[in-house]
Amino acid sequence: MYVQQSFERPQLPLFDAFLGRTPSEPLVVTDDISRSEDDQAFSELALRGAAGHCLHLLAPILRELSQNQDARWLTLVAPPASLTQSWLRDAGLNRERILLLHPRQGQNALELAEEALKLGRSHTVISWLHPVECSTRQRLAQAANAGSAQSLNISLG
């Protein structure tokens, strides 16, 4: 496919705003410093497709996290039923460093993930919450910061 480019239109002044500014002016102004801290403590991973393919893509990530040199746990909160003990073994995960948590009656997965993060006994807490709203992200990020941990939410589908 051949697309003819018109040279008659002027080039947009992409760098004029930066060239005309004084050195004392910041390039980016942010009012919410804690947002960047929250962004470092909370991550999301969405995998779509056949369940078997999604688990195949997820296995190396979980394997790497389970072999982390940190002495703390890799905690899985309310994992899907397809993440069985035999799947964890077959995927090569270090099951001695993994803690599986399921919510009790009257407790939901979000509360359990928050509690696990705040305790600081896990280097990473993985949850399977869907959908994750902004307030949920903030709650998990704040809990992760409190426990010096990482929060990872995985959406399979």
Side-chain angles (χ1 to χ4, degrees), residues 15-23 25:
F15 301 103
D16 286 356
F18 298 106
L19 295 174
R21 74 174 182 83
T22 62
E25 295 177 56

Side-chain angles (χ1 to χ4, degrees), residues 11-146:
Q11 175 71 27
L12 293 175
L14 297 174
F15 301 103
D16 286 356
F18 298 106
L19 295 174
R21 74 174 182 83
T22 62
S24 63
E25 295 177 56
L27 289 175
V28 178
V29 178
T30 60
D31 294 329
D32 188 9
I33 300 300
S34 64
R35 174 124 175 107
S36 64
E37 292 173 4
D38 289 352
D39 289 344
Q40 293 176 9
F42 178 81
S43 299
E44 282 187 282
L45 176 64
L47 298 172
R48 303 283 181 250
H53 291 129
C54 290
L55 290 178
H56 184 70
L57 293 170
L58 186 59
I61 296 167
L62 295 180
R63 186 179 320 111
E64 182 72 25
L65 289 170
S66 75
Q67 295 170 353
N68 191 322
Q69 296 303 312
D70 194 322
R72 300 180 294 168
W73 295 98
L74 166 62
T75 302
L76 310 179
V77 175
S82 54
L83 263 78
T84 62
Q85 288 289 341
S86 62
W87 184 88
L88 295 172
R89 181 186 61 248
D90 294 344
L93 277 68
N94 181 357
R95 293 182 301 152
E96 294 177 4
R97 301 302 316 147
I98 296 176
L99 184 61
L100 295 172
L101 299 179
H102 296 280
R104 293 183 181 151
Q105 191 172 11
Q107 185 181 41
N108 65 37
L110 173 59
E111 293 169 342
L112 186 56
E114 275 185 297
E115 189 175 329
L117 286 162
K118 286 179 186 176
L119 287 174
R121 302 278 193 253
S122 304
H123 59 80
T124 306
V125 174
I126 299 177
S127 55
W128 279 266
L129 305 172
H130 186 73
V132 178
E133 298 174 2
C134 185
S135 61
T136 302
R137 284 184 187 96
Q138 289 175 340
R139 287 174 61 180
L140 290 172
Q142 289 171 352
N145 283 329

